[in-house]
Amino acid sequence: MCIRDGNNFIHSEITELVEGLVSHPSLKELRLDEHGGNGTGTLKALAKLLAAGKCELETLECWDALGVASHMLILADGLKCHKHLQKLDLGSNYFVDDDLEHLTRSITTCLRMEEVDVSRSSILDQGLAFFASQEMPRSLRLLNLNDCRELTEKSAHLILKILQDNPNLYVECPHRLVRESDHCEEIQHLLDMNRSGRCLLGQRNGVPPSLWPLVLERTNMIFSDESDDARRRANVVFHLLQGPALMQRKFADGAALDTSAVASRRRKRRRENKNKNPYQK
C-alpha cells in the first residue's frame, strides 16, 4: 500500500488510515512518502500497527513523511515488538542522534531486518558511534547513510568498525568520508568484501566447494570491466579464495593440519589397495 503526497491526505487522515490497518494482518508493505509536516500522530499510529500481534508488515517506507525530530522513541517501541520487518526506510526525515540511538536499540531485536535507510538526516558522529557499539542482527545487509552531511571525517573509523564487526553489511555513505579518510583503502576493501561474500569465510564448518563457483560468478557480476573495478574484483577474488584454502587446512578445533601427514596416509592407502588388487597400476 502506498500513500503519497499526491493523494492530498492530511496527517490526521493518514493517522486514522494507519490505525485502521491494524486489523489487516495480510499487509506486507506500507509506503508513506513525501508528506512532511508534524508526524507525531503518524508515528504513534505506526507504532501501534507494528506492535499489533497479527501484523506481518515486511516493508515500511516513510520517506520525508514524519517531519519530526527526537520522536523516534515512539516508533522504536513498536519496532521492538515486531518480528517480521525486513526493510525500514526513514530517509529524508529530521533525524538527530537521539533518534538513531532509539532506532539502533530496536533494530537489535529485529532479527529479520535486512535494510535500514536513514539517509539525508542530521545525525552526528556521536549517534553513529552508538550504532557502531551495538551488535547488529546477522540478517542486516544494508545501512544507508548517504547525504548525512553532518557526519565528519572522524566518522570514517566508525564506518570501518561497523564493516569489520558485520561481515554481512554494506554501508552506503558519503563519498567524501571514504575519499578523504586515512582509512580509505581499508573501508573500500571491506565494502567490496562484505558485498561479495566475506561472511562465508567465518563459517566454522567451511563452505561446500560446489558453492564457490556461484560466489565467484556473483563477484564478477558486481564489478564492471573498468580498470579500477577490475583491480578491486581481482583483490576480492584473491581474498575469497585465500579463505577456503586456509580453512581447509584446519581441524575443527583450529589446530593446523599437517599436509605431509595427509600425503603419507594417502600413499599408505594406495599401497594397501594395490596389495588387495595386484593388477591395479
Side-chain angles (χ1 to χ4, degrees), residues 261-277:
V262 173
S264 177
R265 287 196 294 270
R266 287 176 178 170
R267 288 193 296 270
K268 183 178 179 180
R269 283 197 297 270
R270 283 198 295 268
R271 286 196 299 269
E272 291 174 350
N273 291 335
K274 189 174 182 180
N275 291 334
K276 293 178 182 179
N277 184 6

Side-chain angles (χ1 to χ4, degrees), residues 170-209:
Y170 184 84
V171 180
E172 292 187 1
C173 54
H175 293 298
R176 60 178 175 80
L177 294 182
V178 178
R179 188 171 55 250
E180 299 173 4
S181 168
D182 294 336
H183 305 290
C184 175
E185 293 186 1
E186 294 174 88
I187 292 176
Q188 188 61 65
H189 172 71
L190 286 175
L191 285 172
D192 292 341
M193 287 293 295
N194 286 11
R195 189 167 54 159
S196 302
R198 175 173 161 243
C199 58
L200 298 175
L201 304 185
Q203 296 191 18
R204 189 172 182 82
N205 296 326
V207 178

Side-chain angles (χ1 to χ4, degrees), residues 12-265:
S12 59
E13 293 172 332
I14 295 173
T15 300
E16 293 177 5
L17 181 59
V18 173
E19 288 177 346
L21 294 173
V22 173
S23 59
H24 292 271
S26 61
L27 183 67
K28 301 294 184 182
E29 187 173 327
L30 178 60
R31 290 188 171 94
L32 306 174
D33 293 343
E34 300 176 7
H35 285 278
N38 186 351
T40 306
T42 304
L43 278 172
K44 292 180 180 179
L46 287 172
K48 182 179 179 180
L49 174 65
L50 292 172
K54 296 181 179 180
C55 178
E56 297 184 0
L57 193 68
E58 296 177 352
T59 299
L60 176 59
E61 296 186 10
C62 299
W63 179 265
D64 191 21
L66 303 178
V68 290
S70 301
H71 285 79
M72 190 60 207
L73 180 60
I74 300 173
L75 185 60
D77 288 339
L79 285 171
K80 290 177 182 178
C81 304
H82 194 70
K83 306 301 180 185
H84 301 279
L85 201 63
Q86 299 176 20
K87 180 179 180 180
L88 180 61
D89 186 347
L90 299 173
S92 199
N93 288 295
Y94 298 103
F95 256 38
V96 293
D97 283 351
D98 288 344
D99 294 314
L100 185 58
E101 290 185 17
H102 293 313
L103 177 63
T104 300
R105 290 191 180 95
S106 62
I107 289 175
T108 58
T109 66
C110 298
L111 302 183
R112 297 182 63 186
M113 186 71 76
E114 296 180 2
E115 299 181 19
V116 174
D117 187 338
V118 290
S119 59
R120 299 185 66 183
S121 63
S122 300
I123 58 176
L124 304 173
D125 297 341
Q126 181 179 351
L128 189 60
F130 183 82
F131 184 96
S133 68
Q134 303 299 302
E135 183 177 355
M136 292 294 107
R138 292 180 59 86
S139 60
L140 191 62
R141 297 287 190 271
L142 175 66
L143 173 64
N144 192 342
L145 298 172
N146 274 329
D147 292 326
C148 292
R149 299 181 181 181
E150 302 297 327
L151 293 176
T152 69
E153 296 177 14
K154 296 179 181 178
S155 64
H157 78 278
L158 297 173
I159 294 174
L160 179 62
K161 183 181 186 305
I162 292 172
L163 292 171
Q164 289 172 335
D165 295 345
N166 301 277
N168 294 317
L169 185 59
Y170 184 84
V171 180
E172 292 187 1
C173 54
H175 293 298
R176 60 178 175 80
L177 294 182
V178 178
R179 188 171 55 250
E180 299 173 4
S181 168
D182 294 336
H183 305 290
C184 175
E185 293 186 1
E186 294 174 88
I187 292 176
Q188 188 61 65
H189 172 71
L190 286 175
L191 285 172
D192 292 341
M193 287 293 295
N194 286 11
R195 189 167 54 159
S196 302
R198 175 173 161 243
C199 58
L200 298 175
L201 304 185
Q203 296 191 18
R204 189 172 182 82
N205 296 326
V207 178
S210 59
L211 183 61
W212 282 107
L214 300 177
V215 174
L216 297 178
E217 181 182 8
R218 180 175 177 273
T219 300
N220 284 330
M221 294 174 62
I222 290 174
F223 300 96
S224 69
D225 292 328
E226 296 181 4
S227 58
D228 184 55
D229 273 15
R231 179 185 59 82
R232 287 162 50 198
R233 176 174 55 201
N235 177 64
V236 167
V237 170
F238 172 78
H239 283 87
L240 285 177
L241 293 179
Q242 282 283 91
L246 292 175
M247 293 297 292
Q248 289 172 5
R249 293 189 179 93
K250 294 183 178 181
F251 289 122
D253 60 359
L257 183 64
D258 188 350
T259 55
S260 62
V262 173
S264 177
R265 287 196 294 270

